[in-house]
Amino acid sequence: MTAEHQPPPLPKLSVIAREAGVSVATVSKALNGRADVSARTRRLVAEVLERRGYPRQRVKPARGSLVDVMLQGLDSVYALAILGGVEDAAWRLGVDLVVSAVVDRTKNGQPPSAWLDRISARDSAGVLLVRTWPTGTQRAWLADRGIPAVLVDPRRKPPQGVPVVVSANRAGAGVATDHLIGLGHERIAIVTGRPGVPCAAERLAGYREAMAAAGLPVDPRWEVCGYFQTEDALRATRRLLDTLPEPPTAVFACSDSMAIGVYQALGERGHRVPDDVSVVGYDDSWAAEHVTPALTTVRQPWPELGSAALTALLSGEPAARTELPTALVVRFSTAPA
């Protein structure tokens, strides 16, 4: 590393302490990752170093400190898979977790206000919001107290300024569609997820881009919404088969649960998978391996999302957006047109 790219010498502890408004001993503890330093104090010290041109990452996360994890219900296998990755990273990084769940669906996926009081009482080092999102008031409360937050796979458009960790939905959908195109399919329909959910919009965009790149028409008649639910996908596929002049030779379902609905609708009309119609799902859930025929799908890196999110949270300066790659898993639900 050349001299011009090296950080400046670390200021004297007394200078950092004076600018941060804390004691020299507290600065020393913050720099060495001591657990008895609050998240707010750690942030103040980091800001002083940043103003002086030193990396914020110099302030270490406290070993043994607490990180809050708020997730969207305990009934979601995907949220629990993300939580597993968070737990693995917590063990590696030496931090403890406090896990809470949004159970009141009327809150629209947003944590209750009382949750903030509990965070304040235990001096949390940061917050991971798994498939949930804070209100504007909650974001301001966290920012005022210097408590960092990272969103993981949010179900709504991320608020401005809040770091987010997601899988590469657009690219994953493009790979799924390219797989069908590569098998010679041209009449490829899509069953999309719930409107307003970022991953649903990104997967639809990936499908459209792949179709356009292959010179195939992007026709709204070939796009139906299944709301990420099996029953909704079943009804949507029935409508698709009723309205199209000729049935599709392939269907891209934007979740495995919707792919099951697609299977059911095709079976009702006497279409065999994959002999008559190929089907690709998304997520690589338990069901993908156990339906008949086993489902070709896009594997999401659920545990890796959790691990990356906690690592980013404790880095001191998480990126605005982190995307992790997906992978196509080819099984027996796809075949040449």
Side-chain angles (χ1 to χ4, degrees):
M1 180 182 290
T2 59
E4 61 266 25
H5 290 100
Q6 293 178 345
L10 189 68
K12 291 183 178 180
L13 297 188
S14 58
V15 174
I16 301 174
R18 183 173 64 251
E19 293 189 22
V22 298
S23 68
V24 172
T26 299
V27 172
S28 178
K29 292 177 182 178
L31 295 177
N32 287 285
R34 286 278 296 274
D36 52 348
V37 179
S38 70
R40 180 177 182 276
T41 299
R42 221 172 280 281
R43 185 178 182 86
L44 290 172
V45 173
E47 288 173 349
V48 171
L49 295 181
E50 185 178 41
R51 287 197 299 270
R52 291 179 167 271
Y54 210 87
R56 293 170 66 94
Q57 286 84 349
R58 181 62 178 83
V59 181
K60 300 177 182 178
R63 295 192 65 82
S65 61
L66 289 176
V67 171
D68 270 86
V69 182
M70 175 63 73
L71 53 84
Q72 176 68 63
L74 294 172
D75 56 347
S76 167
V77 293
Y78 306 129
L80 293 178
I82 293 172
L83 180 60
V86 175
E87 290 176 329
D88 289 343
W91 181 86
R92 185 177 70 251
L93 296 169
V95 298
D96 297 317
L97 304 176
V98 178
V99 180
S100 306
V102 178
V103 294
D104 185 358
R105 302 293 181 178
T106 64
K107 295 293 184 181
N108 199 27
Q110 293 174 325
S113 298
W115 171 67
L116 298 177
D117 297 330
R118 295 194 293 273
I119 290 177
S120 180
R122 55 182 168 255
D123 192 26
S124 179
V127 180
L128 290 182
L129 294 137
V130 179
R131 311 192 102 202
T132 182
W133 49 94
T135 64
T137 300
Q138 291 167 346
R139 295 199 307 273
W141 188 96
L142 293 169
D144 288 345
R145 287 156 182 79
I147 301 175
V150 173
L151 301 184
V152 190
D153 191 34
R155 303 289 85 188
R156 294 289 184 272
K157 184 178 179 180
Q160 189 70 28
V162 180
V164 61
V165 176
V166 294
S167 63
N169 288 290
R170 198 179 194 122
V175 169
T177 309
D178 284 339
H179 170 67
L180 294 171
I181 294 170
L183 291 171
H185 294 280
E186 296 183 355
R187 301 198 310 272
I188 304 172
I190 182 172
V191 182
T192 68
R194 183 177 297 277
V197 177
C199 67
E202 290 164 6
R203 292 172 199 175
L204 176 58
Y207 158 83
R208 288 174 173 173
E209 289 172 357
M211 293 287 284
L216 298 176
V218 178
D219 190 335
R221 294 178 301 169
W222 294 78
E223 301 173 0
V224 292
C225 182
Y227 296 91
F228 288 126
Q229 302 297 322
T230 299
E231 287 298 319
D232 289 316
L234 169 60
R235 288 189 289 268
T237 308
R238 286 171 179 164
R239 291 195 304 272
L240 188 76
L241 297 173
D242 287 339
T243 57
L244 290 176
E246 52 185 337
T249 63
V251 178
F252 170 36
C254 290
S255 75
D256 291 348
S257 59
M258 292 195 296
I260 294 173
V262 173
Y263 271 34
Q264 293 173 354
L266 292 172
E268 290 175 354
R269 305 301 174 88
H271 299 299
R272 296 165 300 168
V273 177
D275 303 69
D276 302 316
V277 182
S278 289
V279 179
V280 175
Y282 205 104
D283 288 331
D284 195 25
S285 63
W286 179 89
E289 260 189 297
H290 294 85
V291 293
T292 302
L295 180 66
T296 295
T297 186
V298 177
R299 176 177 294 159
Q300 293 220 64
W302 299 115
E304 291 83 357
L305 289 176
S307 177
L310 183 61
T311 303
L313 180 75
L314 297 177
S315 70
E317 193 67 27
R321 182 179 176 90
T322 300
E323 279 196 359
L324 300 187
T326 58
L328 182 70
V329 181
V330 178
R331 295 193 176 100
F332 302 110
S333 65
T334 52

